[in-house]
Amino acid sequence: MKGIVFTEFLEMVEADFGPDMMEDIIDSSELESGGAYTSVGTYPDSEMIQLLTQLSEKSGVSTSVLLNKFGHAMLRSFAKKYSHWISDCGHGFDLLMKVDNYIHIEVKKLYPEAFLPKFNHERIDEHTLIYKYSSPRKMGDLAEGLIEGTMEAFGHQYTIDRKNITEDGSAVEFTIKVL
């Protein structure tokens, strides 16, 4: 997993739970990296799982809720850092539809070894988008947080209907309706 995901996660932990919690989850985990992450580094997925599990245990917040919260935080951060990817989007659907066919292509140029989730979409009409997430990392809650954050960033009133395509959560379908 790319280091930027770790640095963004730890920034969220520090902002929402405090620097002591951030240090505590790092110290309580068995991390090959020692918890020292750079945005351009690559680290084992297992380290993110450990940090997330430790945060859940210490905060009493489920991993599902934490991943969703992280999706919101990532969207806010990326909107600031990569505003040029977003500035030409007039609607939240525009941004979601450009993740795989533009943003992930740009990410791969910077980080050729990055292993990215797959997002497919089908625009049903001006108010409805079917958005499919797939990844062996099974982080549909993170994807849902990114979707919610996107809809909110564009000021949309919306609903999301979520269904697992696979039992293990490696593929999830979201039906997003703008009201």
Side-chain angles (χ1 to χ4, degrees):
M1 187 175 291
K2 291 310 298 174
I4 192 166
V5 177
F6 287 88
T7 59
E8 292 293 332
F9 179 75
L10 292 175
E11 284 178 24
M12 179 204 74
V13 172
E14 184 174 23
D16 293 354
F17 297 94
D20 290 341
M21 176 69 86
M22 184 186 70
E23 289 178 27
D24 195 18
I25 67 170
I26 291 171
D27 291 344
S28 300
S29 300
E30 296 178 15
L31 307 171
E32 289 176 39
S33 68
Y37 302 104
T38 65
S39 60
V40 296
T42 302
Y43 306 93
D45 294 355
S46 61
E47 291 198 16
M48 178 57 71
I49 304 285
Q50 287 184 64
L51 292 168
L52 182 64
T53 301
Q54 288 296 323
L55 181 59
S56 178
E57 289 174 5
K58 294 177 184 315
S59 69
V61 179
S62 73
T63 56
S64 177
V65 168
L66 290 170
L67 279 171
N68 182 283
K69 182 180 192 60
F70 181 40
H72 283 261
M74 279 185 70
L75 189 278
R76 285 189 303 273
S77 177
F78 287 176
K80 288 178 192 168
K81 292 178 181 172
Y82 305 103
S83 61
H84 60 283
W85 288 350
I86 298 169
S87 60
D88 64 337
C89 297
H91 192 284
F93 288 172
D94 297 336
L95 179 57
L96 292 173
M97 292 187 306
K98 88 189 255 191
V99 170
D100 252 14
N101 61 9
Y102 177 74
I103 295 171
H104 280 177
I105 291 170
E106 294 300 311
V107 169
K108 282 294 229 179
K109 287 179 188 175
L110 295 171
Y111 310 109
E113 75 288 353
F115 178 72
L116 302 169
K118 184 80 178 137
F119 292 97
N120 293 309
H121 63 271
E122 180 184 353
R123 183 88 181 248
I124 303 301
D125 57 39
E126 67 181 276
H127 301 287
T128 310
L129 179 71
I130 296 185
Y131 204 60
K132 295 179 182 176
Y133 158 88
S134 61
S135 173
R137 291 185 175 128
K138 305 170 193 161
M139 293 189 172
D141 296 316
L142 175 62
E144 187 168 11
L146 285 164
I147 294 165
E148 291 170 354
T150 299
M151 295 294 99
E152 291 162 14
F154 281 87
H156 301 310
Q157 295 290 326
Y158 65 94
T159 62
I160 298 177
D161 180 42
R162 175 182 173 165
K163 74 174 181 183
N164 280 357
I165 297 170
T166 59
E167 276 187 46
D168 69 355
S170 61
V172 181
E173 179 180 278
F174 301 95
T175 301
I176 310 157
K177 293 184 184 253
V178 174
L179 308 174

